[in-house]
Each structure stands twice: as structure tokens, then as C-alpha cells.
Amino acid sequence: MSLRLCSVGFLAVAASMLAAEGLSLKTSLAYKEHADFVRLSEFFNGRENTGRRAIVRSQPDSRTGLYFSLALKVAELPGGAKVKLEVVRTSAPEPKSFQMDLPQAPEGAREVLVGLTGEDWSGPDERPVAWRLQVLDAAGGIFASEKSFLWGK
């Protein structure tokens, strides 16, 4: 009986921790140039074609920068979702925070690219020391999150 009670207690604690942190995201980082986003259709209509992904940038007019790729079903994101990205750099020990609204994504999209672009990222040779990325719902609650190993240190 006590083993069953311990199991129920453990599951309750685990569920509350998951609710506090949100779902875990599969995240990867890559530096991308402007040309990485240009498709043939853009030459004809002048508009960026994002394909089957949602793209949000800290500087919307600049495509070059460091991108965090989030593998998730975009249709499952709550309405009015935002992305909060906090980054520690080698050049600045204090975290810098960015918050961006998630754009409308194409149906069936399974990737979100979150970019630190323009003046917000210095170039391909810089890598973040630590980072934390959170997807927030319209009320500011954490829907999903991921952080680097060094973020908590």
C-alpha cells in the first residue's frame, strides 16, 4: 500500500513540475544567411515563402542571424502564442531577453524558427554561452520550454 501511495505522490510531483515548465521542446541552433531563405517564388511575387514552417525574427527586416529550430506541431500552439528567448553571450554576462509574437503558420507546419537577426546577433562566429526559450500562451503561461545545459548554472 505504501508503494502505491509513493507512486501516486511521485506522479503528482512530476505532473506539477511539467505544468510549471511546460512541454519540453526539441531544439537545435544554426546560423543562417539571408540567401538560405530565398526561394524562386520570391523573385516573382516579392514575398518571402516560408514553406511549411513558422518563422519569427527579432529584427523582422533582417533574415541573417542565429536561429533556434523548434520541432513541434504548430497547429497545437495556443492562440496568441509568443516566444520568449533569453540569451547569455560571451560579450555580455547578463542575459538579454527577446519576446516575439508567433506568426500564422501554414497548415501542417511542424517547425518554428526563432531568429536573433540583424543587430541582435553579431555573426556566424558567435555562439551563445547559455539560453532559455519559452513558448507562452496568450495569458503568459508557459506552454513549452527548453534551455541549454549551462542556463541553470
Side-chain angles (χ1 to χ4, degrees):
M1 185 69 162
S2 65
L3 179 60
R4 184 177 292 166
L5 187 59
C6 287
S7 297
V8 170
F10 174 76
L11 290 174
V13 169
S16 67
M17 288 175 59
L18 182 61
E21 287 295 317
L23 300 173
S24 180
L25 295 170
K26 182 179 176 188
T27 308
S28 62
L29 287 92
Y31 187 83
K32 296 184 180 288
E33 299 285 342
H34 177 90
D36 294 330
F37 296 98
V38 177
R39 294 180 177 209
L40 183 60
S41 61
E42 190 171 342
F43 290 104
F44 297 111
N45 64 22
R47 293 188 313 263
E48 181 179 13
N49 179 349
T50 62
R52 295 180 57 96
R53 59 189 174 188
I55 301 174
V56 62
R57 298 178 175 105
S58 61
Q59 301 287 320
D61 295 333
S62 180
R63 297 182 191 177
T64 300
L66 181 69
Y67 284 85
F68 293 76
S69 173
L70 314 178
L72 53 84
K73 292 181 182 176
V74 179
E76 294 177 358
L77 291 173
K82 297 179 184 302
V83 174
K84 181 179 180 184
L85 176 59
E86 298 169 281
V87 179
V88 176
R89 305 171 191 218
T90 54
S91 59
E94 293 298 316
K96 184 159 185 183
S97 182
F98 302 88
Q99 188 163 317
M100 301 163 261
D101 294 329
L102 281 173
Q104 185 70 24
E107 189 174 325
R110 293 182 174 264
E111 179 183 29
V112 176
L113 290 179
V114 179
L116 293 178
T117 58
E119 296 176 1
D120 291 332
W121 200 255
S122 65
D125 296 330
E126 184 179 16
R127 300 300 285 175
V129 174
W131 55 268
R132 176 172 62 183
L133 194 144
Q134 298 173 320
V135 177
L136 308 174
D137 60 23
I142 299 171
F143 175 77
S145 68
E146 188 63 40
K147 61 186 175 184
S148 67
F149 172 76
L150 291 177
W151 183 259
K153 305 298 177 204

